[in-house]
Amino acid sequence: MKKNKILVTGAAGYIGGTFAYEALCKGFEVLGIDNFINSDDTNIQLLKEKFPSRFQFAELNLADDPKGLKKVLKRFNPNFVLHFAGLKAVEESQKKPELYKKNNVGSTLNLLENMAPSSSLIFSSSATVYGANQQQPLSEDSPIQASSVYGLTKIESENLIQRYALTKDIKAICLRYFNPIGSHRDYLIVEDYLNNPNNIMPKLIKAVKSNNNKIYVYGSDYNTKDGTGERDYIHITDLVQGHIAAMQKVDNIQNTQFFNLGTGKSTSVLQLIETFNRVNNLNIEIEYMERRKGDVPICYANPFKANKELNWKANICLEQMCKDSWEATNA
Ligand code: UD1
């Protein structure tokens, strides 16, 4: 039997929306769920228009409405559940820990409670689970330690998944994302840069669009190659391919597996800004600020396990990531 039905939580967002788009292009049938807590319905409308016969949508609060979720799961009976939905702003998580716990951990719990063991789960985890780790690059067996409430919600979700995989016989893969940027080839789904972005790429885009042309760099005295923070930026297309690879693998694993999705390359904030300016012919200026609370100096992946066991590798270079991030906003 062909396994072609995917439930996508967080389908209105940048990563969930891009995944849903790619999966639909590949011929899958997708049911999207979102409650629009930090998105609008632009991506949902787009998916509905492009794929009227294979895309359905249910507006649902995963954390609050287990009955509604149960109904949707029963009716659609997915082969795969891809759980992208979640709040992700570190600073906000420190101010609203209860909201983060309820929304992020509560939604994972409700999914696990209501999923049939015949569906497999792919969960959007994050490199944030490794916290501030001196030993770099990070591999899947590096120590787990939260450095924010947001990080804790990802660790708690991973733990719940592990528990349910054992007790309910669900197969699950947790993908630990590094820093996704860029836009997929058709430039239809773009990361939101208008509504108070926290991450560096949407902030760079906003700096140009607002004519302010300036970015604050948080910290110049880290023990890194040029004093600014280092991260592992990964193109969203490579990230999405990692999910397809995980779907091909998940039925053949025992219980739960964890994989880093990163390139293995470490890029400083200055290198990122220089590349963004150069490939797009822009001239965003830099102003140094204090370090941002909760930031880690350096965080990059050892992607060996995913390369080998998922037969997946990130291929797209930083130049292309910066080009696609910018050009998609002008398409
Ligand atoms: C952050 C979260 C991470 C989360 C991810 C997605 C922290 C510590 N981590 O990742 O858990 O999964 O967002 O939401 O917040 N920077 C500037 N100026 C800016 C913005 C960022 O210099 O205006 C720097 C940061 O200090 C950092 C780098 O750019 O060194 C990347 O920052 P960002 O894009 O926010 O991602 P993370 O902090 O890695």
Side-chain angles (χ1 to χ4, degrees):
M1 197 187 68
K2 203 171 166 232
K3 295 196 164 187
N4 69 335
K5 292 170 94 178
I6 314 177
L7 185 103
V8 175
T9 77
Y14 163 58
I15 303 179
T18 305
F19 171 81
Y21 180 76
E22 283 293 333
L24 287 158
C25 289
K26 284 188 157 51
F28 286 96
E29 198 181 322
V30 173
L31 190 150
I33 292 182
D34 212 297
N35 63 347
F36 303 119
I37 188 172
N38 56 356
S39 56
D40 61 28
D41 71 347
T42 313
N43 293 339
I44 299 302
Q45 292 310 334
L46 181 126
L47 295 170
K48 277 187 181 165
E49 274 162 35
K50 286 236 155 218
F51 305 97
S53 63
R54 280 186 291 113
F55 179 71
Q56 313 169 47
F57 178 71
E59 184 172 345
L60 191 77
N61 187 327
L62 287 171
D64 258 353
D65 189 3
K67 276 199 187 132
L69 174 62
K70 198 175 184 159
K71 255 196 223 156
V72 170
L73 281 164
K74 212 168 164 201
R75 181 165 52 85
F76 187 60
N77 194 19
N79 305 110
F80 303 98
V81 173
L82 274 86
H83 181 29
F84 295 93
L87 294 168
K88 66 174 183 89
V90 172
E91 215 183 327
E92 183 187 51
S93 77
Q94 301 298 114
K95 291 183 190 138
K96 300 178 183 168
E98 289 311 318
L99 172 71
Y100 270 67
K101 183 165 174 102
K102 181 160 187 246
N103 191 76
N104 290 7
V105 185
S107 61
T108 307
L109 180 63
N110 282 343
L111 268 177
L112 289 164
E113 275 287 334
N114 293 295
M115 266 175 69
S118 55
S119 332
S120 304
L121 177 67
I122 312 288
F123 173 60
S124 301
S125 191
S126 163
T128 193
V129 302
Y130 300 116
N133 203 310
Q134 301 255 307
Q135 206 132 24
Q136 299 284 336
L138 297 154
S139 58
E140 290 77 358
D141 52 13
S142 295
I144 299 297
Q145 52 197 20
S147 56
S148 67
V149 172
Y150 162 71
L152 198 59
T153 67
K154 289 293 180 190
I155 296 171
E156 287 177 357
S157 289
E158 284 194 352
N159 289 341
L160 276 175
I161 290 167
Q162 241 176 330
R163 178 143 65 84
Y164 275 76
L166 284 170
T167 55
K168 263 188 82 173
D169 204 24
I170 291 172
K171 306 229 186 237
I173 288 183
C174 298
L175 297 174
R176 294 175 177 157
Y177 304 167
F178 283 70
N179 291 56
I181 58 172
S183 188
H184 69 106
R185 62 183 184 281
D186 296 337
Y187 288 167
L188 291 172
I189 294 171
V190 177
E191 187 169 11
D192 179 12
Y193 58 88
L194 290 169
N195 299 308
N196 300 316
N198 289 304
N199 299 119
I200 188 145
M201 184 52 79
K203 279 182 148 185
L204 286 169
I205 292 163
K206 193 173 179 184
V208 185
K209 298 275 183 194
S210 66
N211 291 322
N212 152 298
N213 249 352
K214 188 157 101 181
I215 187 98
Y216 293 105
V217 172
Y218 299 140
S220 55
D221 58 351
Y222 284 113
N223 186 16
T224 53
K225 52 183 130 190
D226 57 25
T228 65
E230 287 180 37
R231 296 289 185 274
D232 185 339
Y233 297 96
I234 173 170
H235 197 291
I236 182 106
T237 297
D238 280 331
L239 188 90
V240 162
Q241 279 310 320
H243 292 70
I244 307 280
M247 282 164 48
Q248 284 160 358
K249 176 82 180 175
V250 68
D251 289 340
N252 303 320
I253 63 165
Q254 297 274 325
N255 309 313
T256 320
Q257 281 281 337
F258 303 86
F259 292 99
N260 285 342
L261 292 187
T263 64
K265 295 193 182 82
S266 191
T267 301
S268 74
V269 177
L270 290 187
Q271 286 177 318
L272 180 74
I273 299 170
E274 185 278 321
T275 309
F276 187 78
N277 274 335
R278 176 166 46 81
V279 301
N280 297 314
N281 207 8
L282 298 166
N283 56 358
I284 301 172
E285 286 170 26
I286 286 166
E287 191 171 321
Y288 289 106
M289 293 256 294
E290 292 294 292
R291 293 179 180 194
R292 182 171 65 176
K293 215 167 149 239
D295 268 359
V296 299
I298 177 163
C299 174
Y300 72 104
N302 174 347
F304 182 73
K305 186 179 175 205
N307 295 166
K308 190 164 167 261
E309 293 179 28
L310 295 181
N311 198 16
W312 164 90
K313 193 172 188 298
N315 291 313
I316 307 174
C317 67
L318 189 69
E319 275 78 9
Q320 194 65 44
M321 296 183 213
C322 289
K323 223 176 163 37
D324 287 344
S325 286
W326 173 244
E327 297 218 327
T329 69
N330 303 308

